[in-house]
Amino acid sequence: MQGKILKFFKLRLLGTITHVVTKEPLVSLTFDDGPHPDYTLRLIDILAKYQARATFFMVGQAAERNRDIVRQVSQAGHS
């Protein structure tokens, strides 16, 4: 029994979020990989055009090589 309880809380704390309750419709945009010198900058321009925000999951080595792009993503209001 104690193992099941621990597993439940472990999944709730560390598991994947599959849904949230909101009062309004909501879509989450995520972009994996990068940042890429061309595509990431294009993406933030497109997102700005539609006043949308996104979460960028970046690769550490690519982020180190493209610190200015990482900064631009953050300054544009993205996570």
Side-chain angles (χ1 to χ4, degrees), residues 5-67:
I5 294 171
L6 181 60
K7 183 178 179 181
F8 171 79
F9 282 108
K10 187 176 175 184
L11 286 173
R12 293 302 252 163
L13 294 174
L14 304 174
T16 302
I17 297 172
T18 59
H19 66 281
V20 295
V21 177
T22 64
K23 293 181 180 180
E24 297 179 22
L26 175 72
V27 173
S28 295
L29 297 174
T30 63
F31 297 96
D32 299 342
D33 242 355
H36 188 276
D38 296 323
Y39 301 121
T40 303
L41 296 177
R42 290 182 193 178
L43 276 172
I44 61 174
D45 288 343
I46 292 168
L47 292 167
K49 177 180 176 180
Y50 293 98
Q51 299 178 354
R53 299 290 174 263
T55 300
F56 287 78
F57 294 95
M58 300 181 181
V59 176
Q61 291 175 340
E64 284 287 326
R65 286 191 306 269
N66 298 288
R67 291 180 184 198

